[in-house]
Amino acid sequence: ALISEAGVAFILNLADNEQKIQGYLENPGFSSPYFLSLYQDGMVEPIALNMNFGSQEFKTKVANGLAVMAEKEGPYLVHCTEGKDRTGFVCMLLEALCGASYEEIVSDYMITYDNYYDITEETEKERYDVIVENMLVPMIQCLAGNEDADVRTADLTGCAERYLLDGGMSAEQIELLRERLTGG
């Protein structure tokens, strides 16, 4: 109901593969006609990511999924199971591709921890900082291709472009994706 209300036109499913989706559809309790219509129209791309965002397999699957997404009109939904790790990485990558600053990426990423655990910079600064330093910073360093990169000053847009090129997207696909996401 929520994806219908939001007008989602394409779903990048980071957690599942075709077989798992078929299992959901065959479950007698399945009740999501809007999802089913998107799926039947080829507007759901399941890429079954592992949790190792530093692996070539992860990079290739992300690039391939985003190449498919770039060919489709939005609005988009990107999701996995809980939305912290795989979705966090992909959304950070997309934000970086579109020119977001380190501070903007941190702010967006940490909304998940506020939603799940009520952890904010104001209420639990120490835990907030630990999550940023131990979860998000390694993701950005992976994106940069350098575990010692200064994530606060790195060219995040350039890093995102290199990451996607290394994963198999073409420069044209990357530009189309950026245009779709930014409306320009």
Side-chain angles (χ1 to χ4, degrees), residues 84-149:
K84 296 185 318 255
D85 302 313
R86 294 170 288 189
T87 301
F89 185 91
V90 172
C91 289
M92 174 272 302
L93 167 65
L94 294 173
E95 288 179 289
L97 181 66
C98 294
S101 69
Y102 170 77
E103 292 78 14
E104 291 168 323
I105 290 170
V106 168
S107 178
D108 282 351
Y109 181 78
M110 291 306 294
I111 290 170
T112 298
Y113 286 88
D114 183 12
N115 290 339
Y116 270 95
Y117 310 110
D118 294 321
I119 296 172
T120 68
E121 191 170 21
E122 295 76 27
T123 60
E124 296 193 56
K125 173 106 172 92
E126 188 174 321
R127 287 180 75 193
Y128 182 98
D129 290 344
V130 165
I131 293 166
V132 170
E133 290 303 316
N134 291 298
M135 299 299 293
L136 182 59
V137 167
M139 288 182 190
I140 298 172
Q141 289 171 328
C142 175
L143 185 69
N146 178 355
E147 65 184 39
D148 297 319

Side-chain angles (χ1 to χ4, degrees), residues 8-132:
V8 169
F10 180 83
I11 298 172
L12 182 61
N13 178 332
L14 308 178
D16 299 316
N17 58 26
E18 293 286 347
Q19 184 178 8
K20 284 182 87 173
I21 290 176
Q22 284 302 315
Y24 302 144
L25 299 178
E26 293 166 6
N27 183 312
F30 177 80
S31 178
S32 184
Y34 189 74
F35 172 85
L36 181 60
S37 69
L38 290 174
Y39 183 74
Q40 290 173 331
D41 290 344
M43 302 304 281
V44 176
E45 182 69 14
I47 63 173
L49 286 178
N50 61 37
M51 300 294 278
N52 184 2
F53 55 81
S55 72
Q56 185 61 42
E57 176 187 357
F58 188 101
K59 185 185 296 186
T60 300
K61 284 184 172 185
V62 167
N64 289 341
L66 292 176
V68 171
M69 189 169 103
E71 295 297 323
K72 310 293 185 184
E73 295 284 338
Y76 306 109
L77 170 64
V78 176
H79 79 85
C80 61
T81 304
E82 292 185 5
K84 296 185 318 255
D85 302 313
R86 294 170 288 189
T87 301
F89 185 91
V90 172
C91 289
M92 174 272 302
L93 167 65
L94 294 173
E95 288 179 289
L97 181 66
C98 294
S101 69
Y102 170 77
E103 292 78 14
E104 291 168 323
I105 290 170
V106 168
S107 178
D108 282 351
Y109 181 78
M110 291 306 294
I111 290 170
T112 298
Y113 286 88
D114 183 12
N115 290 339
Y116 270 95
Y117 310 110
D118 294 321
I119 296 172
T120 68
E121 191 170 21
E122 295 76 27
T123 60
E124 296 193 56
K125 173 106 172 92
E126 188 174 321
R127 287 180 75 193
Y128 182 98
D129 290 344
V130 165
I131 293 166
V132 170

Side-chain angles (χ1 to χ4, degrees), residues 63 66-68 70-71 168-178:
L66 292 176
V68 171
E71 295 297 323
M169 281 183 86
S170 69
E172 294 79 16
Q173 289 171 316
I174 292 168
E175 190 53 38
L176 177 59
L177 177 62
R178 185 181 0 250

